[in-house]
Amino acid sequence: MEQSKVSALPRVVIIGGGFGGVSAARALKNAPVRITLVDRRNHHLFQPLLYQVATAALTPSEIARPIRRILRHQQNVEVILDEATAIETARNRVILAEGEVAFDYLIVATGATHSYFGHEKWERDAPGLKTIEDAIEIRRRFLVAYEAAEREPDSSVVPEWLTFAIVGAGPTGVELAGALAEISRMVLARDFRRINTRRARIVLLEGAPRVLPAMAPESSDSARRQLECLGVEVITSAMVTAIDEFGVTYAGGHIPARTVIWAAGVAASPIGKTLGVPLDRAGRVIVNDDLSVPGAPNVFIIGDLASIKQSDGRPVPGLAPAAVQMGRHVARNIVHATRGEPREPFRYVDKGTLATIGRGAAVAEMGKLRLGGFIAWLAWLLIHIFYLIGFRNRILVLAEWAWVYLRNESGSRLITGDVEPLLERSRRDDEDRHRVMAQ
Amino acid sequence: MEQSKVSALPRVVIIGGGFGGVSAARALKNAPVRITLVDRRNHHLFQPLLYQVATAALTPSEIARPIRRILRHQQNVEVILDEATAIETARNRVILAEGEVAFDYLIVATGATHSYFGHEKWERDAPGLKTIEDAIEIRRRFLVAYEAAEREPDSSVVPEWLTFAIVGAGPTGVELAGALAEISRMVLARDFRRINTRRARIVLLEGAPRVLPAMAPESSDSARRQLECLGVEVITSAMVTAIDEFGVTYAGGHIPARTVIWAAGVAASPIGKTLGVPLDRAGRVIVNDDLSVPGAPNVFIIGDLASIKQSDGRPVPGLAPAAVQMGRHVARNIVHATRGEPREPFRYVDKGTLATIGRGAAVAEMGKLRLGGFIAWLAWLLIHIFYLIGFRNRILVLAEWAWVYLRNESGSRLITGDVEPLLERSRRDDEDRHRVMAQ
């Protein structure tokens, strides 16, 4: 009896365990549905703090948590580790790497990845930052760069190892630049004997005329000043034309840098293409006002994959709060649908935008309010601690931060994986270059 | 003046930043020498807790610390990230992957790695546990096994995913078996919907007639009882003859298991061979009583790479306390040598042996004292916390443990890296097997 009742419940499939997917699942906690959440990773990631893993301030486990652990008490959810490769709306099926899964309602929350705007070969020399693996790779590169500088016999090459170029001055680029400047000047200084890590050059390149182009001009000015106080060189209106293992070339100059990080472009998850509906220029699905896919009212798109406008005509931004709001909204509309009630259109509530720059440095916009410096940073800190609720290691993260803040000491500067290939590569590159120069 | 005085000081090169190498460097803190410590990894590892990373109880950063951070205040040390490939005693040079380094005194502390006794092809299906990377790989495999079981459509295959075979019942094998049994029964139970993780089979295979063969028979009996209480199946006198992706075959039976871990053999670091002096059967360098190499009085071997007997004729065991004692002893003898004083022979002080089995379960031997159960576990806990001194995250580790102990919750069950190849492999293997079975 119980069994047949359960299997008669509508099946909601959620693809993606990020902010949107997990919010939707939680909001359906008491709904008369069976939920299957599919993700190709086993963990939910607190992405706003990913740059702190990339700069060795936090460890991967402090900002990531198994999805099935987050949802363990919610009996109407099962979690499957698999990769969704396509959506067949006509058959109500999601195609997985292993088999397929049928749905009555589908929520697609697969987010975005970084994009090199057609220059995919730049990825080798300028990794982007979207996953825990990306963060570990960036951490490895920047820590190995100091090690390589310390043992570099050719003193003319040392400055190249100690130059870090970041392409793109959106929130991620700004956060990375500020954090790298701080760790170089404060945390690492006493660890090395031959090099002076305070001399490290952090260069932030932005194609637009100002940093944080999505924020107000006052915020951009404030952020730039705060970055420069930390010793970051900011170059705006700099369109990058080439990236290789020796640095970044832009219209107007060249930065010799052995470490380049890509924080410039974002492209929507490719699964959107399999829906066969119109996409916007960034590859996002242009959704109806209830977040459903045109022609497939039981399929919803939320988070960074959804292209939808606010009432004032501006697009809903690709931020965690927007994904959370969308997840909850779609959950509500699914409940409406199961009851035969009409659906509600989605309205984004903008609670403000924050970008942190460093210790005590940030910019914030809340409504008409513009904040900069320590107060903005305090707002950033409180909001991030608040949203880490649900992460049981919130207190540990806070302890980490307090320690780093008070002692200028960072605890997780692990280089894992093999460092030799990287050092090896640099040596081979040098040989190549010398050969080229000798020609 | 200052400069020429410094460069006139004898140069001590230390290869390896484990317990032995770091202890030697620290013990030379006030000695009139210049020290270069070379390691191919940037971190010192608290190896006795490595199994806790492999079983997701602790995170890598909690048991590893950058070597240059540990030695940052010791101005007579420089740390170089590089791999030593050979030692030329005649020229007083260490050959590195990048260049070479000259020494007046050399301390070789490169330790041991796991050995497959000539069956190197077993490594693919039965990884060993010596490095952080090994621990992350084992953690990935055992977490992926539960995920694979949860989504396995063929119910006859599910028990194979839920069987974990550990080869070798030394301290590492016993610790791994106990920890896997606990996490399966307690921590993971509520996270899955289709499988019952309490049904997971943990099988511990040992070639000798008893577990912990290096300890006293009473301790072995006690450990076996405690393991069986946790639900571990212990099979002794089981010589393994084959390992593949479907399990372990031993003289007397076969265990179908999709996850196999190798904790059986240890071989000394291969750099010992380049010295051109006699080695013991495990590849360790047979050293003089002052730990120097025969024919090379300025070259010392410490830790797991040294083969030396105690006064009662038994070998000095390959344990962290022995490596620490050797490191300090060699440092003292180098100071003696710089002053033209005679050297002292090394005497190992056995402070006892401990092996932990699980929450509140352990065995301990101190002199004639034999302890088992909770008291032994408490001794283990206190000693390990004490020796984590110097690790600033000691308090965080303690907080982690308290949390895990009280709440049965483990916080770091991250699967990083790509899970698809593993799952992919298993699928391909199934196809292969079906093909074989159809023939």
Side-chain angles (χ1 to χ4, degrees):
Chain A
M1 277 291 281
E2 187 63 27
Q3 187 60 36
S4 66
K5 226 191 284 174
V6 167
S7 50
L9 293 176
R11 175 177 288 239
V12 178
V13 172
I14 301 172
I15 314 175
F19 285 108
V22 166
S23 301
R26 282 179 158 173
L28 288 167
K29 183 167 185 165
N30 299 314
V33 295
R34 292 172 301 151
I35 306 164
T36 301
L37 193 153
V38 181
D39 200 301
R40 59 182 169 175
R41 300 182 189 276
N42 83 325
H43 49 270
H44 170 73
L45 184 62
F46 195 81
Q47 220 157 10
L49 294 180
L50 195 56
Y51 80 97
Q52 296 224 5
V53 173
T55 54
L58 292 178
T59 72
S61 301
E62 286 170 320
I63 63 156
R65 249 195 120 193
I67 297 166
R68 57 174 77 261
R69 162 71 36 161
I70 295 174
L71 298 171
R72 75 188 303 202
H73 295 297
Q74 190 173 333
Q75 288 301 324
N76 66 346
V77 180
E78 63 169 13
V79 177
I80 295 295
L81 184 72
D82 208 332
E83 180 162 6
T85 56
I87 296 160
E88 295 188 9
T89 49
R91 289 176 57 230
N92 283 349
R93 293 280 191 288
V94 178
I95 311 304
L96 307 175
E98 306 248 323
E100 55 179 44
V101 56
F103 59 81
D104 296 303
Y105 298 96
L106 175 65
I107 303 174
V108 187
T110 47
T113 181
H114 36 260
S115 161
Y116 291 86
F117 307 127
H119 297 280
E120 266 60 45
K121 66 182 163 57
W122 292 355
E123 182 159 23
R124 195 195 66 171
D125 299 308
L129 181 62
K130 270 287 172 190
T131 66
I132 282 283
E133 289 81 1
D134 293 340
I136 293 171
E137 175 61 21
I138 289 174
R139 181 177 76 180
R140 168 160 54 201
R141 290 194 187 204
F142 104 83
L143 293 174
V144 166
Y146 291 104
E147 298 289 344
E150 178 83 349
R151 71 182 215 188
E152 175 64 57
D154 179 350
S155 64
S156 71
V157 175
V158 171
E160 296 184 13
W161 282 117
L162 292 181
T163 303
F164 301 87
I166 297 152
V167 181
T172 300
V174 166
E175 284 161 354
L176 279 171
L180 280 178
E182 286 189 334
I183 197 171
S184 303
R185 274 153 190 66
M186 302 198 277
V187 180
L188 294 176
R190 281 176 300 173
D191 284 10
F192 292 87
R193 298 284 175 266
R194 301 180 186 179
I195 57 168
N196 181 351
T197 65
R198 291 192 186 84
R199 293 235 180 105
R201 257 184 99 188
I202 318 293
V203 185
L204 181 62
L205 295 140
E206 168 59 48
R210 56 193 178 89
V211 303
L212 299 174
M215 295 183 81
E218 306 95 289
S219 299
S220 296
D221 289 348
S222 169
R224 184 180 186 132
R225 272 195 311 276
Q226 294 182 62
L227 283 165
E228 287 172 347
C229 278
L230 285 171
V232 175
E233 296 173 43
V234 179
I235 308 179
T236 46
S237 302
M239 289 303 296
V240 168
T241 55
I243 297 175
D244 64 19
E245 52 272 66
F246 302 115
V248 181
T249 307
Y250 61 98
H254 175 76
I255 311 289
R258 296 294 178 114
T259 310
V260 183
I261 304 169
W262 184 258
V266 164
S269 140
I271 204 167
K273 289 187 201 122
T274 70
L275 288 164
V277 296
L279 308 177
D280 72 5
R281 282 199 315 169
R284 290 175 301 192
V285 179
I286 300 168
V287 291
N288 296 326
D289 66 358
D290 65 347
L291 300 167
S292 67
V293 171
N298 60 333
V299 177
F300 300 90
I301 313 284
I302 63 174
D304 289 1
L305 183 59
S307 179
I308 185 168
K309 292 206 168 10
Q310 302 179 48
S311 48
D312 64 0
R314 289 190 307 153
V316 174
L319 298 172
V324 169
Q325 290 177 28
M326 289 181 189
R328 290 179 185 155
H329 186 84
V330 163
R332 231 175 0 249
N333 271 342
I334 287 175
V335 172
H336 283 317
T338 60
R339 293 180 187 154
E341 297 166 0
R343 298 167 178 212
E344 298 164 29
F346 173 69
R347 297 217 191 293
Y348 171 59
V349 181
D350 184 356
K351 291 179 176 163
T353 313
L354 283 154
T356 182
I357 294 154
R359 263 172 33 128
V363 288
E365 298 179 355
M366 291 159 195
K368 293 209 181 300
L369 193 66
R370 305 268 179 275
L371 298 172
F374 191 78
I375 290 176
W377 181 78
L378 214 59
W380 176 87
L381 190 72
L382 292 174
I383 286 168
H384 281 77
I385 288 166
F386 180 76
Y387 278 108
L388 267 171
I389 286 174
F391 278 74
R392 77 160 176 79
N393 35 19
R394 195 168 81 236
I395 294 157
L396 293 181
V397 170
L398 200 59
E400 269 307 324
W401 282 355
W403 189 279
V404 171
Y405 195 95
L406 296 172
R407 296 282 314 262
N408 271 332
E409 192 169 317
S410 153
S412 62
R413 297 206 312 281
L414 282 193
I415 303 177
T416 54
D418 205 354
V419 299
E420 281 305 321
L422 265 183
L423 294 169
E424 191 76 34
R425 203 193 74 186
S426 70
R427 193 176 54 213
R428 208 170 50 238
D429 296 341
D430 283 345
E431 285 160 11
D432 285 353
R433 186 160 64 158
H434 290 149
R435 209 161 36 235
V436 169
M437 290 173 113
Q439 278 169 358
Chain B
M1 275 291 282
E2 187 61 27
Q3 187 60 34
S4 66
K5 227 192 284 173
V6 167
S7 49
L9 294 177
R11 175 178 290 240
V12 178
V13 172
I14 301 172
I15 313 176
F19 285 108
V22 166
S23 302
R26 281 180 159 172
L28 288 167
K29 181 166 185 165
N30 299 313
V33 295
R34 291 172 301 151
I35 306 165
T36 301
L37 192 155
V38 181
D39 201 300
R40 60 182 167 174
R41 300 183 189 275
N42 84 324
H43 51 270
H44 170 72
L45 184 61
F46 195 81
Q47 221 156 11
L49 294 179
L50 196 54
Y51 80 97
Q52 295 224 5
V53 174
T55 54
L58 292 177
T59 71
S61 301
E62 286 170 322
I63 64 157
R65 249 195 120 193
I67 298 166
R68 55 173 80 259
R69 162 70 35 160
I70 295 173
L71 299 170
R72 74 188 304 202
H73 295 298
Q74 191 174 331
Q75 288 301 324
N76 66 347
V77 180
E78 62 169 14
V79 177
I80 295 295
L81 184 73
D82 208 332
E83 180 161 8
T85 56
I87 296 160
E88 296 188 7
T89 49
R91 289 174 59 229
N92 284 348
R93 293 280 192 288
V94 178
I95 311 303
L96 307 175
E98 306 248 324
E100 54 178 48
V101 55
F103 59 81
D104 297 303
Y105 299 95
L106 176 65
I107 303 174
V108 187
T110 47
T113 181
H114 35 261
S115 161
Y116 290 86
F117 308 128
H119 297 279
E120 266 59 44
K121 66 180 164 56
W122 293 354
E123 183 160 22
R124 195 195 65 170
D125 299 309
L129 183 61
K130 271 285 171 191
T131 65
I132 283 282
E133 288 82 1
D134 292 339
I136 293 171
E137 175 61 20
I138 289 174
R139 181 178 75 179
R140 169 160 53 200
R141 289 194 188 204
F142 105 83
L143 292 175
V144 166
Y146 291 104
E147 298 289 344
E150 177 84 349
R151 69 181 216 189
E152 176 63 57
D154 180 349
S155 65
S156 71
V157 175
V158 171
E160 297 184 12
W161 281 118
L162 292 180
T163 303
F164 302 87
I166 296 152
V167 181
T172 300
V174 166
E175 285 161 354
L176 279 171
L180 280 178
E182 286 189 334
I183 197 170
S184 303
R185 276 153 190 67
M186 301 199 277
V187 180
L188 294 175
R190 280 177 300 173
D191 284 11
F192 293 86
R193 298 285 174 264
R194 301 181 186 177
I195 58 169
N196 181 352
T197 65
R198 292 192 186 85
R199 292 237 181 102
R201 259 183 97 188
I202 319 293
V203 186
L204 181 63
L205 294 140
E206 168 60 46
R210 56 192 178 90
V211 303
L212 298 174
M215 294 183 82
E218 305 94 290
S219 299
S220 297
D221 290 347
S222 170
R224 184 180 185 131
R225 271 196 311 276
Q226 294 182 63
L227 283 164
E228 287 171 347
C229 278
L230 285 171
V232 175
E233 295 172 43
V234 179
I235 307 178
T236 47
S237 301
M239 290 302 298
V240 168
T241 54
I243 297 175
D244 65 19
E245 52 272 64
F246 301 114
V248 181
T249 307
Y250 61 99
H254 175 77
I255 311 289
R258 296 293 177 114
T259 311
V260 183
I261 303 169
W262 183 257
V266 164
S269 140
I271 203 166
K273 290 188 200 123
T274 70
L275 288 164
V277 296
L279 307 178
D280 72 5
R281 281 200 315 169
R284 289 175 302 191
V285 179
I286 300 167
V287 291
N288 297 326
D289 66 358
D290 65 348
L291 299 168
S292 67
V293 171
N298 61 332
V299 177
F300 300 90
I301 313 284
I302 62 174
D304 289 0
L305 183 59
S307 179
I308 186 167
K309 292 208 168 10
Q310 302 178 48
S311 48
D312 64 1
R314 288 190 307 152
V316 174
L319 297 172
V324 170
Q325 290 176 29
M326 289 181 188
R328 289 178 185 155
H329 186 83
V330 163
R332 235 177 355 252
N333 270 343
I334 287 175
V335 172
H336 284 315
T338 61
R339 293 180 185 152
E341 296 167 2
R343 298 168 178 211
E344 298 164 29
F346 174 69
R347 296 217 193 293
Y348 172 59
V349 182
D350 184 356
K351 291 181 177 162
T353 315
L354 284 154
T356 182
I357 295 155
R359 263 171 36 126
V363 288
E365 296 179 357
M366 291 160 194
K368 294 210 182 296
L369 193 65
R370 307 269 179 273
L371 298 173
F374 192 78
I375 291 176
W377 181 78
L378 215 58
W380 176 87
L381 189 72
L382 292 173
I383 286 167
H384 281 77
I385 288 165
F386 181 77
Y387 279 108
L388 267 171
I389 286 175
F391 278 73
R392 76 159 177 79
N393 35 18
R394 196 167 79 238
I395 294 157
L396 293 182
V397 171
L398 201 58
E400 269 305 324
W401 282 355
W403 189 278
V404 171
Y405 195 94
L406 296 172
R407 297 281 314 262
N408 272 332
E409 192 169 318
S410 153
S412 61
R413 298 205 313 279
L414 282 193
I415 304 177
T416 54
D418 205 353
V419 299
E420 281 305 320
L422 266 183
L423 294 169
E424 190 79 33
R425 206 194 73 185
S426 70
R427 193 175 55 210
R428 209 171 49 237
D429 296 342
D430 282 344
E431 285 161 10
D432 284 354
R433 187 160 63 156
H434 290 149
R435 212 165 30 238
V436 169
M437 291 172 111
Q439 278 171 357

